[in-house]
Amino acid sequence: MTTQTHDAGLPLLGCIEAGGTKFVLGVATGPDTVLRTARVATTRPDETIGAALDFFRTAAADFGAFAAFGIASFGPVDLDPRSSGWGRIGDTPKEGWRDADIAGPFGQAFDCPVGFDTDVNGAILAEHLWGAARGTDVAVYVTVGTGIGGGALVAGRPVHGLRHPEMGHMLPRRHPDDRDFAGICPFHGDCLEGLASGPAIIARWGASLSELPEGHVGRTIIADYLAQLVVAQHAILSPQRIVFGGGVLATPGLLDLVRARAEVLAAGYFGDGGDGLIVAPGLGDRAGLLGALALAQRARR
Amino acid sequence: MTTQTHDAGLPLLGCIEAGGTKFVLGVATGPDTVLRTARVATTRPDETIGAALDFFRTAAADFGAFAAFGIASFGPVDLDPRSSGWGRIGDTPKEGWRDADIAGPFGQAFDCPVGFDTDVNGAILAEHLWGAARGTDVAVYVTVGTGIGGGALVAGRPVHGLRHPEMGHMLPRRHPDDRDFAGICPFHGDCLEGLASGPAIIARWGASLSELPEGHVGRTIIADYLAQLVVAQHAILSPQRIVFGGGVLATPGLLDLVRARAEVLAAGYFGDGGDGLIVAPGLGDRAGLLGALALAQRARR
């Protein structure tokens, strides 16, 4: 836990990056004034959310009342404000978390509005406000790590629609050198997440992409799958910026391979996005918590 | 050419559905008051646009001045209002039409604002206002005919982004019974348009889908490719409604095959859109011209 001093004049915002392995908690008045942060392991909902409530209760005693909360959550989540399930986790394979109420406890405990969205919708919102997607009208944030997710922003607003984008579950063409692997997605087998997420990489090559020797075909294969996501995004949404984050993208040179392969597959058809089309996050590891902050700011309005 | 009487109190709108084979022209004050229509073959830009200008000049003499024009055009088109190429056709294989100025001549001749967008963006706008996509926040219109195109609407506004969606150029997985056909897209070979458009169907089976005998594998193959577009839309945009129009979709039973196949591929992951997720156009063949009308109404504001 870290703490900074607080300018009492600014409204206090509670920020939660609710991940499948940990919750990152923050108390902030703006993107550059995060007053206190903490991490809580994602175990059982009552335990994890209870620990988060304790953290924020202590912060309220120290800093004053919260004006709003923002929660950027792992999914699937219910984002429909007219639904009785709003603010809850959906049909997740993560034990104990199906139908878990994430947003409700914080609104009730602190009697303030709660902004709630997917982690990746939060991230693209933050990247649009303060990072690599500034000045765009249509932009996406993709994270490639334990899972693959993508959030979309159109005209400054995260896209929800029927539920919310689930970009990791598109169906790429199988790479000719990757025919034997069945994929690990419990829903689709060899969807993008089933083929190109961190666990899928380890499942067939026994190591992360960074650990594979130079010239290993794995990097070419993963770049091909991620480039197919880029082409699908071009075709359906025509983003002006595609921000790629997550652990797998930390592999040196991978983003360049994705760019090069996407250019070959697109064959010049979708307009010229230039070198700035496919980029790394401008906010680095802070995109998650700052996404929650952006959601809190929107909830407060 | 057909003509109705005109209520002089309502602003007069010029509507152009600019297609690759014909321009459909309309003079209207609203969706139910189309006063006059005509068709002009798409030959050379000067000839076709000249004939359209003549039609609207005569209409102006009969009905009065135009308040705005709306043009829903074949593509690719330049939709960037800051670009010197705004209102023009882009890199089309259609002879003589590359860089053709579609919007400019009408704004100049009739000294009024011009709304300009893709035909499919116009169609989803019209379906959202008056047809099958009413009440949705995120919706798409797909046409499967001579080509395959898709328009997207988010929060009542057509999506442009880097250029505009080009849904026909996503890359579906090849169906196991369709391995030998190379596809006919000059850019991508076996992209969706290269595999499932009307000309692609005729290229490998010598007949349209409706003409093929009952039980022919062609319908299963085309339904599979179109269902893959549905899955890609789920993954990237999460539409609440997917409107499928165009000549190929007139094949009896095809829309049901697409629905059933999309359900199998999605494996229940993307939320339950129910029977109303994938639908035929509510406006039938009028979606094109009414799309132009909707664009004219927006330009007038």
Side-chain angles (χ1 to χ4, degrees):
Chain A
M1 195 159 88
T2 62
T3 300
Q4 291 184 14
T5 55
H6 172 221
D7 176 347
L10 294 169
L12 201 65
L13 304 171
C15 313
I16 304 172
E17 181 190 358
T21 54
K22 65 177 185 296
F23 277 36
V24 180
L25 315 174
V27 177
T29 56
D32 300 319
T33 49
V34 180
L35 305 171
R36 184 180 290 178
T37 59
R39 290 170 176 224
V40 177
T42 308
T43 55
R44 299 192 319 269
D46 59 335
E47 197 172 62
T48 303
I49 290 172
L53 286 167
D54 288 345
F55 166 82
F56 288 114
R57 281 196 192 99
T58 304
D62 293 347
F63 296 122
F66 284 100
F69 271 75
I71 304 176
S73 179
F74 73 103
V77 286
D78 188 339
L79 302 177
D80 182 355
R82 294 160 307 180
S83 158
S84 62
W86 178 86
R88 291 176 182 269
I89 300 285
D91 185 11
T92 176
K94 193 164 174 62
E95 206 188 321
W97 286 83
R98 186 177 169 164
D99 292 331
D101 187 1
I102 306 287
F106 297 93
Q108 286 149 26
F110 299 97
D111 193 23
C112 67
V114 178
F116 181 68
D117 214 315
T118 64
D119 45 7
V120 280
N121 267 349
I124 189 58
L125 194 55
E127 290 286 348
H128 181 256
L129 287 170
W130 307 302
R134 271 178 286 193
T136 59
D137 185 60
V138 180
V140 297
Y141 182 95
V142 179
T143 180
V144 186
T146 310
I148 298 181
L153 202 83
V154 174
R157 220 189 59 161
V159 172
H160 293 167
L162 181 59
R163 199 167 69 180
H164 50 75
E166 283 282 3
M167 299 197 195
H169 296 269
M170 64 148 304
L171 303 170
R173 292 177 171 182
R174 296 300 299 265
H175 190 279
D177 295 332
D178 188 41
R179 293 263 185 234
D180 300 332
F181 181 61
I184 62 163
C185 173
F187 292 90
H188 310 111
D190 62 351
C191 66
L192 185 65
E193 181 169 297
L195 290 171
S197 62
I201 291 166
I202 289 171
R204 61 184 167 322
W205 298 307
S208 74
L209 220 49
S210 309
E211 292 163 348
L212 294 176
E214 211 173 321
H216 190 283
V217 71
R219 275 187 281 272
T220 308
I221 290 170
I222 298 303
D224 175 58
Y225 292 142
L226 296 177
Q228 290 190 58
L229 173 59
V230 169
V231 171
Q233 290 168 337
H234 275 311
I236 287 162
L237 197 58
S238 191
Q240 292 150 318
R241 193 133 315 138
I242 301 170
V243 183
F244 265 106
V248 172
L249 264 298
T251 309
L254 183 61
L255 200 60
D256 287 332
L257 289 177
V258 174
R259 271 195 204 102
R261 182 63 183 152
E263 211 172 304
V264 169
L265 291 174
Y269 193 72
F270 300 102
D272 183 7
D275 289 342
L277 175 68
I278 298 173
V279 299
L283 304 172
D285 295 341
R286 301 168 70 221
L289 194 63
L290 293 184
L293 175 66
L295 293 169
Q297 288 185 335
R298 285 167 61 93
R300 206 181 148 254
R301 274 176 217 150
Chain B
M1 192 159 92
T2 60
T3 299
Q4 292 182 11
T5 55
H6 171 222
D7 176 349
L10 294 169
L12 201 66
L13 304 172
C15 312
I16 304 172
E17 181 190 359
T21 55
K22 64 178 186 296
F23 277 36
V24 180
L25 315 174
V27 177
T29 57
D32 300 316
T33 49
V34 180
L35 306 171
R36 183 179 290 177
T37 61
R39 290 171 174 225
V40 177
T42 309
T43 55
R44 298 193 321 268
D46 59 334
E47 198 173 60
T48 303
I49 290 171
L53 287 167
D54 288 346
F55 166 83
F56 288 113
R57 280 195 193 100
T58 305
D62 293 347
F63 296 121
F66 284 99
F69 271 75
I71 305 176
S73 178
F74 72 103
V77 287
D78 188 337
L79 302 177
D80 182 355
R82 295 160 306 182
S83 158
S84 62
W86 178 87
R88 290 176 183 269
I89 300 284
D91 186 9
T92 176
K94 193 164 173 61
E95 207 188 321
W97 286 84
R98 186 177 169 163
D99 292 332
D101 187 0
I102 306 287
F106 297 92
Q108 287 149 25
F110 298 97
D111 193 24
C112 65
V114 178
F116 180 69
D117 213 315
T118 64
D119 45 8
V120 280
N121 268 348
I124 190 57
L125 194 56
E127 290 286 348
H128 181 256
L129 288 169
W130 306 303
R134 272 179 286 194
T136 59
D137 186 60
V138 180
V140 297
Y141 182 97
V142 179
T143 181
V144 186
T146 309
I148 298 181
L153 201 83
V154 175
R157 217 189 60 162
V159 172
H160 294 169
L162 180 60
R163 198 168 68 181
H164 51 75
E166 282 282 2
M167 300 198 195
H169 297 269
M170 63 149 304
L171 303 170
R173 291 178 173 181
R174 295 303 296 266
H175 190 280
D177 295 332
D178 188 42
R179 294 262 185 236
D180 300 333
F181 181 61
I184 62 163
C185 173
F187 292 90
H188 309 113
D190 61 353
C191 66
L192 185 65
E193 180 168 298
L195 291 171
S197 62
I201 291 166
I202 289 171
R204 59 183 165 327
W205 298 307
S208 75
L209 220 49
S210 310
E211 293 162 346
L212 293 176
E214 211 174 318
H216 190 284
V217 71
R219 276 186 282 272
T220 308
I221 290 170
I222 298 304
D224 174 57
Y225 291 142
L226 296 178
Q228 291 190 56
L229 173 59
V230 169
V231 172
Q233 290 168 338
H234 275 310
I236 288 162
L237 198 58
S238 191
Q240 293 149 316
R241 195 137 310 143
I242 301 170
V243 184
F244 265 107
V248 172
L249 264 298
T251 309
L254 183 61
L255 199 59
D256 287 332
L257 289 177
V258 173
R259 273 195 203 101
R261 182 63 183 151
E263 212 172 302
V264 169
L265 291 174
Y269 193 74
F270 300 103
D272 184 6
D275 289 343
L277 176 69
I278 299 174
V279 298
L283 304 172
D285 294 343
R286 300 168 68 221
L289 194 63
L290 292 185
L293 174 66
L295 294 168
Q297 288 185 336
R298 286 167 61 95
R300 206 180 149 255
R301 276 177 214 152

